[in-house]
Amino acid sequence: MIRTEQKWTDQIQRCPTLKEQKRKKMSTEKIAVMVDSGCDIAPECIEKYGLWLLPLHIDYPEKAYLDGVDIDPQMVYDRYPKDYPKTSTPSLQEVIDKLGEIADAGFDKVIAVCISSGLSGTWNAVRLASLQQERVEVFAYDTRNISVASGLLGIWASHKVSQGLSFSEICRALEEKTFSSKVMFYMDSLEYLKRGGRIGTVTSMIGQALKIRPIISCNKQIARSAERRVGT
């Protein structure tokens, strides 16, 4: 009887605890989350959640700045309305270099969170760049959204990485969450929409004359006017 009890005791002692079992199930993959600067994640949050930033270009006549690196929103506001910048996507080489930097840090998989492919070519640049390198496996995620609505998905992905979910689990879950968030913002001037080619000159002139202020949102592909307000 004593021997039998001792045998069961030994087996129980060797049995892993629930905490140990969960730890064993956690992914051992080295996953990095990269967000483009159009996701509008604050620098302190980039650092807090261990995100990798892929800067878009903010183009002024004197030079092209890297968004979030050598120019920030306040610097753009300070130059408005005298100067209207243009934006452009990172080059394929810039994306490849960023992926190489992530690989050098010890990661083997990258979740790249990008603003809507209907508004920016960044997602496609990431997709093409990922095919031209073999150091990391890349999931180029088209959020079909803009600004913080995209950024929140990047933060969510980082949180799931810290919880130990696998690369495939997070990628699949992101696809399911694509339309779970929506952002709306008010524009005080139609000038940006006109210069960006979103509205024509005549529409802009009429809108300004009637003091129309659009509330912009994003559908499954591109930004659209969710509502129009008339006022001072």
Side-chain angles (χ1 to χ4, degrees), residues 42-109:
E44 55 269 27
C45 290
I46 292 285
E47 182 177 357
K48 178 179 179 180
Y49 296 105
L51 303 171
W52 292 78
L53 181 67
L54 178 65
L56 277 66
H57 295 174
I58 307 295
D59 302 325
Y60 280 101
E62 73 276 10
K63 66 174 291 187
Y65 294 89
L66 294 178
D67 186 20
V69 177
D70 51 13
I71 194 170
D72 59 33
Q74 189 59 54
M75 295 169 67
V76 175
Y77 300 148
D78 290 343
R79 297 182 63 160
Y80 173 83
K82 181 181 178 181
D83 297 316
Y84 288 88
K86 295 181 179 180
T87 60
S88 56
T89 62
S91 68
L92 290 184
Q93 190 58 53
E94 286 175 316
V95 180
I96 292 171
D97 290 344
K98 178 62 69 172
L99 295 176
E101 184 181 342
I102 294 173
D104 289 340
F107 295 94
D108 53 29
K109 299 185 187 305

Side-chain angles (χ1 to χ4, degrees), residues 139 141-144 153 156 160 165 168-181:
F139 171 59
Y141 175 48
D142 181 359
T143 62
R144 313 282 183 87
L153 291 168
W156 182 88
K160 292 305 174 183
L165 270 69
S168 60
E169 287 174 326
I170 299 172
C171 295
R172 184 167 57 251
L174 279 171
E175 293 281 19
E176 294 172 354
K177 289 181 68 66
T178 297
F179 303 111
S180 65
S181 61

